[in-house]
Amino acid sequence: MCALALAAAVTSGCSAENAYVANRAGDFADLIRGHVMWGEGGALKVDAMQIFQFGINEMRDASAWGIHHRAVGSWVESTSAWGFLIGHHDERVRGIDALTGSYGWSFEDGAAFHSGDPGNPLDWFTLRITLALYAGLDLELRFGEAIDFVFGLADIDLANDDRGA
């Protein structure tokens, strides 16, 4: 079912008749984001709402393949992340614009919290689990996108990610 929703989201044209259907399929596909990766490093980390982070993730130039921003593809990523209640996730990708983005606490110029996508407050309602030792899995359950999907049925785009006709 997810594969069909994703296929509808990425293969739809731009006519007014199918923009609504494509956006609803895209909202449904946004519920889960995940990828497999292989490269140098490892990870054992859980993030809840981008605020609470537990564990460590250090991957360098890892090849990755999976679902990102309503599309399926491959990219190269480097992550450096840590957390013990509070934490920081630094993400650098090549081949796509961004996966989740960097988020968490930064202490370079005082203490400041940064969101992965400041334009989408629903990203805060995400549970992310990353497990890797040279190869692994990164899975995001995006509960905020369920809210966007329900409101999207009434053509209300809380996540600011729908595409126009």
Side-chain angles (χ1 to χ4, degrees):
M1 188 171 207
C2 287
L4 289 174
L6 182 62
V10 298
T11 60
S12 299
C14 292
S15 70
E17 296 83 37
N18 67 8
Y20 177 84
V21 173
N23 284 325
R24 300 304 62 83
D27 286 344
F28 185 77
D30 286 341
L31 297 172
I32 295 176
R33 186 178 290 167
H35 64 278
V36 293
M37 59 194 160
W38 54 96
E40 183 180 325
L44 178 57
K45 190 154 183 287
V46 175
D47 300 355
M49 297 179 57
Q50 296 185 357
I51 298 172
F52 305 109
Q53 302 180 37
F54 300 91
I56 190 164
N57 178 349
E58 288 292 331
M59 296 293 289
R60 300 276 184 241
D61 294 323
S63 297
W65 181 89
I67 300 170
H68 65 92
H69 298 287
R70 299 183 178 189
V72 174
S74 63
W75 61 92
V76 175
E77 68 179 41
S78 293
T79 53
S80 180
W82 56 269
F84 185 74
L85 190 57
I86 65 167
H88 183 75
H89 177 90
D90 182 37
E91 170 185 289
R92 295 166 308 282
V93 295
R94 294 187 317 265
I96 60 174
D97 291 336
L99 183 61
T100 303
S102 297
Y103 56 86
W105 290 93
S106 174
F107 299 101
E108 293 174 1
D109 296 324
F113 182 83
H114 302 280
S115 174
D117 182 1
N120 182 2
L122 298 176
D123 266 358
W124 283 53
F125 303 104
T126 299
L127 175 65
R128 183 178 198 167
I129 301 167
T130 310
L131 300 169
L133 184 58
Y134 297 104
L137 175 69
D138 186 2
L139 178 66
E140 295 180 38
L141 304 174
R142 306 175 77 219
F143 300 106
E145 294 297 335
I147 298 167
D148 186 48
F149 176 75
V150 170
F151 275 81
L153 295 173
D155 216 14
I156 299 169
D157 182 23
L158 297 177
N160 300 313
D161 58 0
D162 286 354
R163 297 180 176 121

